[in-house]
Amino acid sequence: MTLNYTKVIADPVLGWIRLTDEEARFIDSCRYVQRLRHVRQLGMTFMVYPSAHYTRFEHSLGVLQIVTLMLERILKSNDVRKSMLDLAKSVGLDTEDELLMHMRIAGLLHDLGHLPFSHLFEGVFGQGIDPLVRNCSEGVREEVLGRVFKGPFKEHEVITYFIMTNNDEFRSTLKETMPSIDLRIIRALLHGDMVIKITELLPQFADVVSGEDIAFLKSIGYGSGPLNILRQLISGDLDADRVEYVLRDSYLSGASIGSVIGIGDVERIFDNIRIVKGDGDYVLAFDEKARANLEGFIYARFNIYKLVYLHHKVVLFNTLARNLLSELLGHFDELNDDVRDYLCRLYRFAIGYLRGYDVMYITDDYLLSTLLRNRQFLISRIPGIHRYLDPLLTRSTTFKALWKRDFDFMSLINRQGIELALINDMFPYLLSKGESRDEVMRAFYSELRRELAESSITCLRGLANDDSLESSIIIGFRKFEPVAKLNIVHGDVLAGINELSPLAMSLMDAWRRSPHVFAFVDVERIVSACQDIDLNSVLDYLRGLVVKAMYEALRRFGDVVSKYFKNS
């Protein structure tokens, strides 16, 4: 490989990240890339782990570096070199340099479309987008683009695709600085699945897909092995994105407790990548020699989810922020011009039509500054919004988790005699589905009001008819799938790591017993209602009511629940 690296960036996690002159010019001149310097990688996690202030920019550079390490290791191995180059040629990448350049740029751009605070608002933005479609669109096409966000897609991936497809400014910058990059290949690597899904399953949105993307995917036989293998290096069970965030988040959050994994372990894994052809298709696999390193990676990923992303306080601040955006979208017509204009900028960014320095408004700090200067107005217009807004500005909150630790959660579930999977799996599953979220929450609060009205603690009965109940007891969750579908070459046999590794299996069991869903209560509201009763006794009783309300709410979705467990 002959890429001429002329620039280096010092990185505390990965060492030196090297760039070509073309890459450096593109990064420095593309506002969409530079915007990522102002979008925190882990949303509101810095409220709990203060050092977690790093951004999507560092992560994107890191993915560029990791995918480079992967390819360099693969192309040095005689066992897989020819297979990889043949696969690359079948999608139009005729040389090693072309393959490496396109994979590097795909890694750099994979998170281009994140909204402020990264994943924080996904699901809420899309499902609440109707007022933005009505008020911020300039023409029918923009309305159609906006409605795509109500579909079954990850919002930041849709936004990234729309920027690459609809934004002339972005495409012009890429073409001027990196003329050898074929944007069709980048979009196929990052969004091929989404393009095919829209055209085949959601024909009402077919117009939002680029015709040249459809033609290109058909020409390379999308769905066959070659492109899928390349895509797995960027988006798979052990891809450059996942490896990078496990390394970076563990190190920079300071939460790598008992699960230290370094670049040396990752290089050992990459040295043992294999490309195997079985059942007529190509599969990415790993030599069994790297099993211990793979287990270390799986364990480190589990820990970062358990200790950081699913820390009950992190879930709380994320939930407060999501509820805040939901309130803003739900009260759009009542907002002042400043807040409405910002939300419309957010919308136009999402559909790929924001240009110039307006792009730099779509950042964490500008969003917070907008909320701060409009705080008094919002509090005067939207009842209870201060409970969501103020903690994001000062961290001070009156919300308390009704359960935190695994033991407390399991004891509560067992005491109520409820099947664990219903509360722990089914409830967050339905909440993660935008189309069912509002219906599930309405059912939950309806059941909770009924439970409160019949409460044996008299002071809680008044909450049953309290209009502020929905902002006094809130539900937060985070989905995670610990199963790693990694293939191990064991002699002549291809086996899943879960078949060979007791450690991998034990993590699945550990995750099953950990709380996936949390309930938070405004303690000031409870103290005000129950002044003469021990607070801990009230909260203990309330825990049972909340879990029972979740269970009763799920009973209203019997068909969906049955289908979920049948397919699990």
Side-chain angles (χ1 to χ4, degrees):
M1 289 173 282
T2 58
L3 290 188
N4 183 23
Y5 299 124
T6 59
K7 311 290 183 183
V8 292
I9 298 172
D11 183 81
V13 179
L14 302 178
W16 295 104
I17 297 175
R18 293 171 171 80
L19 302 173
T20 67
D21 195 48
E22 282 186 340
E23 290 168 341
R25 284 203 308 272
F26 170 65
I27 289 169
D28 286 346
S29 58
C30 181
R31 293 188 186 98
Y32 285 88
V33 175
Q34 289 298 314
R35 183 190 71 91
L36 298 177
R37 292 180 183 271
H38 309 287
V39 178
R40 290 180 181 87
Q41 167 81 356
L42 295 183
M44 303 302 297
T45 301
F46 70 96
M47 288 289 198
V48 181
Y49 292 93
S51 62
H53 266 281
Y54 46 99
T55 70
R56 286 280 152 184
F57 182 76
E58 295 99 291
H59 169 65
S60 297
L61 287 175
V63 174
L64 173 150
Q65 177 72 0
I66 292 292
V67 81
T68 303
L69 291 176
M70 295 176 91
L71 278 173
E72 286 178 346
R73 289 303 201 278
I74 289 171
L75 294 174
K76 283 181 181 178
S77 169
N78 292 330
D79 292 339
V80 292
R81 175 185 169 84
K82 184 177 184 305
S83 296
M84 179 58 74
L85 291 177
D86 288 345
L87 294 174
K89 287 177 181 177
S90 70
V91 299
L93 300 172
D94 294 330
T95 67
E96 288 185 36
D97 283 357
E98 287 180 353
L99 169 62
L100 189 55
M101 278 194 303
H102 281 77
M103 292 294 285
R104 283 167 63 87
I105 295 303
L108 177 71
L109 300 179
H110 79 288
D111 275 345
L112 200 66
H114 269 296
L115 294 176
F117 296 103
S118 293
H119 291 286
L120 189 60
F121 298 122
E122 292 207 348
V124 178
F125 178 77
Q127 292 308 308
I129 205 169
D130 286 342
L132 304 185
V133 173
R134 290 193 304 269
N135 293 280
C136 309
S137 296
E138 298 177 6
V140 175
R141 174 167 173 76
E142 291 190 12
E143 292 180 5
V144 175
L145 290 170
R147 292 195 180 99
V148 171
F149 289 96
K150 297 182 78 71
F153 309 110
K154 294 180 180 178
E155 288 159 21
H156 75 279
E157 294 181 358
V158 177
I159 297 172
T160 301
Y161 179 76
F162 283 167
I163 291 170
M164 292 183 181
T165 306
N166 301 332
N167 196 279
D168 294 338
E169 185 179 277
F170 169 81
R171 291 186 306 191
S172 175
T173 302
L174 181 65
K175 187 172 183 179
E176 288 172 8
T177 55
M178 301 196 72
S180 57
I181 292 295
D182 186 338
L183 200 50
R184 297 175 308 165
I185 296 177
I186 303 298
R187 292 195 296 254
L189 288 167
L190 296 177
H191 306 118
D193 276 349
M194 185 178 71
V195 169
I196 295 300
K197 191 170 187 177
I198 289 175
T199 55
E200 293 183 352
L201 303 179
L202 300 168
Q204 69 271 32
F205 297 130
D207 289 344
V208 308
V209 173
S210 166
E212 69 173 358
D213 286 339
I214 298 172
F216 179 70
L217 289 169
K218 287 181 178 177
S219 72
I220 63 174
Y222 186 79
S224 60
L227 186 63
N228 287 346
I229 286 292
L230 296 177
R231 289 183 69 249
Q232 284 181 50
L233 299 181
I234 297 174
S235 179
D237 279 279
L238 198 149
D239 55 31
D241 180 29
R242 189 171 286 190
V243 168
E244 210 287 335
Y245 77 65
V246 167
L247 290 173
R248 188 169 302 277
D249 295 353
S250 298
Y251 180 77
L252 291 178
S253 69
S256 56
I257 300 170
S259 58
V260 177
I261 183 171
I263 194 67
D265 299 286
V266 170
E267 289 178 344
R268 172 71 170 169
I269 291 171
F270 294 165
D271 281 337
N272 286 280
I273 290 178
R274 302 289 180 263
I275 297 174
V276 181
K277 190 168 185 179
D279 297 327
D281 205 350
Y282 293 92
V283 175
L284 205 63
F286 301 87
D287 193 288
E288 193 173 12
K289 289 184 291 187
R291 175 179 146 181
N293 307 91
L294 290 167
E295 289 175 330
F297 173 80
I298 295 169
Y299 183 58
R301 179 171 174 262
F302 173 84
N303 261 3
I304 200 71
Y305 268 87
K306 176 71 174 156
L307 300 174
V308 179
Y309 314 150
L310 273 156
H311 187 288
H312 63 91
K313 210 75 169 182
V314 173
V315 174
L316 169 60
F317 283 108
N318 288 348
T319 303
L320 294 174
R322 291 166 64 83
N323 287 1
L324 173 64
L325 179 61
S326 182
E327 289 291 317
L328 294 178
L329 294 173
H331 293 83
F332 184 86
D333 294 337
E334 303 163 44
L335 302 176
N336 60 13
D337 288 344
D338 192 20
V339 181
R340 277 202 302 264
D341 287 348
Y342 183 79
L343 291 175
C344 280
R345 273 201 185 104
L346 208 63
Y347 175 75
R348 296 191 64 74
F349 172 79
I351 61 176
Y353 282 12
L354 203 62
R355 292 175 175 82
Y357 279 92
D358 279 3
V359 170
M360 304 308 289
Y361 288 113
I362 312 304
T363 58
D364 298 3
D365 290 340
Y366 194 85
L367 170 58
L368 287 178
S369 71
T370 301
L371 294 171
L372 181 58
R373 68 175 174 265
N374 291 284
R375 177 180 175 275
Q376 289 300 329
F377 171 83
L378 293 172
I379 289 173
S380 70
R381 291 300 180 94
I382 305 175
I385 199 170
H386 67 282
R387 290 190 177 103
Y388 306 144
L389 173 56
D390 289 354
L392 306 184
L393 300 172
T394 66
R395 197 185 186 276
S396 178
T397 177
T398 56
F399 280 100
K400 179 182 177 68
L402 285 178
W403 54 83
K404 302 176 184 179
R405 317 290 181 222
D406 297 6
F407 181 81
D408 296 336
F409 179 66
M410 289 295 297
S411 297
L412 174 61
I413 296 295
N414 292 335
R415 195 164 66 238
Q416 295 298 322
I418 296 172
E419 185 179 348
L420 175 63
L422 282 173
I423 304 301
N424 223 18
D425 297 330
M426 193 67 220
F427 204 80
Y429 169 78
L430 289 174
L431 292 182
S432 72
K433 300 296 180 184
E435 63 274 14
S436 62
R437 178 185 181 277
D438 290 346
E439 190 177 354
V440 172
M441 292 308 296
R442 281 194 297 269
F444 166 71
Y445 284 114
S446 173
E447 292 295 339
L448 183 57
R449 289 181 188 280
R450 186 178 62 79
E451 294 287 347
L452 288 167
E454 299 172 358
S455 170
S456 62
I457 298 181
T458 307
C459 62
L460 290 177
R461 295 176 189 169
L463 296 178
N465 298 315
D466 192 330
D467 290 339
S468 68
L469 179 65
E470 284 81 352
S471 60
S472 298
I473 299 175
I474 60 177
I475 302 298
F477 72 98
R478 176 74 186 253
K479 285 184 66 62
F480 170 56
E481 179 53 70
V483 176
K485 301 180 179 69
L486 301 176
N487 296 301
I488 302 290
V489 179
H490 178 69
D492 296 328
V493 178
L494 196 64
I497 193 168
N498 294 315
E499 300 173 47
L500 300 175
S501 171
L503 176 61
M505 292 298 293
S506 70
L507 292 180
M508 293 172 60
D509 186 58
W511 173 242
R512 185 181 66 84
R513 297 166 181 270
S514 298
H516 307 173
V517 62
F518 294 89
F520 305 97
V521 60
D522 183 346
V523 175
E524 279 191 358
R525 181 70 187 87
I526 300 301
V527 169
S528 174
C530 302
Q531 297 180 15
D532 300 325
I533 302 178
D534 176 65
L535 177 61
N536 290 328
S537 299
V538 176
L539 294 180
D540 190 53
Y541 183 80
L542 197 54
R543 290 183 186 99
L545 295 191
V546 167
V547 169
K548 285 173 66 177
M550 288 181 179
Y551 172 72
E552 293 298 333
L554 287 174
R555 292 182 64 183
R556 302 188 186 188
F557 299 85
D559 291 344
V560 178
V561 172
S562 298
K563 184 178 180 181
Y564 174 83
F565 285 109
K566 183 178 180 181
N567 295 331
S568 295

